[in-house]
Amino acid sequence: MFEHSEVKVRLLNLYIKKYLNILSRSQAFDRVQLFDLFCGEGVYANGGEGSPIIFLKAIKDVYFRNQNEGQKTIKVDCIFNDYKLEKTEKVKSIIEERKLHYSFLGDLRFKNIDYVQALPLVVRQISIVKNSKSFVFIDPYGYSEVRASQIHSILETKKAEVLLFLPTQHMFRFEKRGTPTALHSFIEDIVPREKWPNSHTGIDFIENLKTAFRDFLENEYYVDSFIITRDKNQFFCLFFFTSHIYGFEKMLDAKWEIDQEEGRGWSYKDPDLPTLFSPSASYRVNKLEVFLLSFLKEPRTNAEIYVATLHQGFRPTHAVEVLKAFATQNKIIVTSNDGKKVRKNSYYINYRDFCERSDRISIQLI
Ligand SMILES: C[S@@+](CC[C@H](N)C(=O)[O-])C[C@H]1O[C@@H](n2cnc3c(N)ncnc32)[C@H](O)[C@@H]1O
């Protein structure tokens, strides 16, 4: 198991726990379906744990914590798929040996279907189960089977989130040295070939891909990337897709939590810091500020700023930090839209205010 795989499973673990915690308390859902479509063998020679083990441990943890706290909990049906029978057999035996699953947690099924054939079945399964939400993890070795249109078909159900791991470094290398057909098909599915921009670095390639995904899926869906650095200048990437804004916010929480630990943390106050760490960080630091300086040229409500901040891949707390700095520099004016007084440094940029009082205030550059 490579180090980059380890970061991948850490993100998976953080996110799935947040996701299950929220859903298990929600009155609207009574089932989660979790599809791990390239599930692999569960445990690697060096002891590293793969996605099916991470998922089952998270499900068990969340269940027992909710039970201890007397909270409502939710059943999670897992479908672990790998086209190689020996891989799912290995996963099965590890689960039995380590007692990672009980029937009261939900159903557990193993499949050995080729991903391309499995996908329409997954979409159907997501659609037909009432009061359910689904999470689909797509973790291939390469990219030849994966298409953006498949992801679109999952998102169209409006009941699912998708996490896709792509070996972007290999894709970028190919792009430079002459594109293999599979990469053409992959890119042309999202953007006409003549419109595909040149990428100078692996990070550029990921940014171009993210922009292309965002344009392809339009504003109806949220897309973000989580860059995983293997050796110096070797970048792999997880792409996250959802139609649900709160699910997106939770994914961004998980991403920023890991980024913080990795020393790539977002720091508005100290834009010089990133040079010590990742080359991409200073880009991120300035990006939200630059974005808001343009976005706030016209008055925007707290809900509009909330949505736009997430679309940019930032957390609401990041926007608040930038707005506070703008206020200190007398760059913005905040207007109450409901006649109520607005407290200093209160910007109402969060999911609750987005739902309940979406135009509490407007903010504009002076
Ligand atoms: C990168 S590994 C998955 C790793 C796993 N998610 C983890 O975290 O440990 C990819 C797996 O997908 C399987 N696979 C490759 N092509 C496939 C396809 N077309 N359909 C289904 N499974 C496939 C391989 O056998 C391999 O086990």
Side-chain angles (χ1 to χ4, degrees):
M1 190 182 205
F2 291 119
E3 209 180 306
H4 71 279
S5 308
E6 215 180 287
V7 182
K8 176 171 78 181
V9 294
R10 268 174 59 214
L11 181 81
L12 210 55
N13 181 37
L14 259 182
Y15 174 70
I16 202 69
K17 281 190 177 157
K18 282 183 196 289
Y19 178 82
L20 293 178
N21 264 326
I22 296 164
L23 288 178
S24 60
R25 311 258 166 110
S26 156
Q27 299 305 323
F29 305 108
D30 38 50
R31 242 182 164 85
V32 170
Q33 303 189 89
L34 193 156
F35 301 89
D36 187 351
L37 300 181
F38 294 80
C39 76
E41 56 193 66
V43 174
Y44 295 88
N46 66 358
E49 292 176 344
S51 49
I53 307 301
I54 300 294
F55 286 135
L56 288 179
K57 283 187 166 174
I59 293 167
K60 226 173 129 181
D61 276 8
V62 171
Y63 178 91
F64 285 113
R65 208 180 49 228
N66 281 338
Q67 208 185 37
N68 280 344
E69 293 173 1
Q71 295 275 2
K72 170 184 172 292
T73 197
I74 196 164
K75 291 210 175 203
V76 186
D77 297 336
C78 296
I79 291 97
F80 293 144
N81 179 65
D82 197 292
Y83 68 175
K84 289 196 175 149
L85 176 69
E86 68 264 27
K87 302 241 179 184
T88 50
E89 286 297 311
K90 191 169 164 202
V91 176
K92 214 186 269 183
S93 72
I94 294 166
I95 294 171
E96 278 164 22
E97 208 175 280
R98 301 189 183 182
K99 301 195 172 29
L100 293 175
H101 192 264
Y102 301 96
S103 57
F104 55 78
L105 298 171
D107 290 342
L108 175 60
R109 287 192 212 146
F110 297 91
K111 299 274 174 199
N112 302 101
I113 310 176
D114 182 87
Y115 162 78
V116 176
Q117 261 101 56
L119 207 88
L121 306 175
V122 169
V123 171
R124 198 179 122 72
Q125 176 71 16
I126 293 172
S127 311
I128 58 173
V129 178
K130 285 204 184 107
N131 304 336
S132 72
K133 283 280 272 176
S134 295
F135 178 75
V136 183
F137 184 45
I138 303 175
D139 184 15
Y141 281 133
Y143 48 84
S144 55
E145 299 104 332
V146 181
R147 295 285 174 275
S149 46
Q150 299 159 341
I151 293 167
H152 189 241
S153 69
I154 300 174
L155 293 176
E156 264 184 331
T157 62
K158 297 276 162 83
K159 292 167 74 180
E161 262 111 334
V162 179
L163 196 62
L164 164 70
F165 182 79
L166 283 182
T168 42
Q169 192 63 32
H170 304 319
M171 297 165 87
F172 167 62
R173 237 187 29 232
F174 278 132
E175 192 201 27
K176 299 213 80 161
R177 292 197 192 147
T179 325
T181 325
L183 189 52
H184 276 165
S185 328
F186 178 84
I187 288 174
E188 274 168 17
D189 195 28
I190 352 180
V191 67
R193 200 189 301 185
E194 65 282 4
K195 290 210 174 138
W196 177 249
N198 240 337
S199 317
H200 301 289
T201 63
I203 295 272
D204 269 357
F205 182 83
I206 291 172
E207 284 299 322
N208 287 337
L209 206 51
K210 184 167 65 183
T211 307
F213 274 136
R214 281 182 177 159
D215 293 347
F216 173 77
L217 295 168
E218 300 181 338
N219 270 347
E220 214 176 325
Y221 304 106
Y222 299 87
V223 184
D224 200 33
S225 56
F226 181 85
I227 297 169
I228 296 168
T229 314
R230 198 161 86 184
D231 307 318
K232 200 167 163 259
N233 294 330
Q234 276 234 47
F235 303 105
F236 291 78
C237 194
L238 275 159
F239 288 93
F240 177 71
F241 305 86
T242 179
S243 58
H244 198 280
I245 194 162
Y246 194 55
F248 191 60
E249 185 181 335
K250 291 300 120 194
M251 185 65 200
L252 290 178
D253 284 352
K255 164 180 157 156
W256 285 104
E257 233 169 86
I258 290 187
D259 261 10
Q260 218 92 31
E261 285 173 30
E262 297 275 297
R264 291 193 299 257
W266 188 87
S267 159
Y268 175 65
K269 287 182 198 75
D270 193 355
D272 290 336
L273 197 64
T275 48
L276 294 171
F277 301 109
S278 130
S280 61
S282 67
Y283 166 75
R284 293 188 205 168
V285 170
N286 296 323
K287 212 181 132 200
L288 183 62
E289 185 184 357
V290 170
F291 171 76
L292 287 174
L293 279 173
S294 156
F295 188 66
L296 297 177
K297 279 185 182 150
E298 49 188 280
R300 304 287 188 173
T301 64
N302 50 307
E304 286 170 336
I305 298 172
Y306 172 74
V307 174
T309 300
L310 294 177
H311 266 306
Q312 294 297 312
F314 288 90
R315 300 170 76 182
T317 49
H318 297 145
V320 170
E321 253 188 87
V322 175
L323 291 172
K324 279 183 183 168
F326 284 174
T328 311
Q329 297 156 24
N330 281 325
K331 279 190 181 157
I332 47 169
I333 179 158
V334 180
T335 321
S336 162
N337 292 333
D338 58 6
K340 292 193 185 127
K341 204 167 172 284
V342 183
R343 270 189 295 133
K344 194 174 171 235
N345 284 338
S346 293
Y347 300 109
Y348 308 94
I349 297 172
N350 56 64
Y351 180 64
R352 196 158 178 189
D353 284 315
F354 163 79
C355 298
E356 290 173 8
R357 39 184 190 174
S358 57
D359 65 347
R360 167 83 176 86
I361 56 165
S362 291
I363 305 179
Q364 187 178 14
L365 290 179
I366 293 173

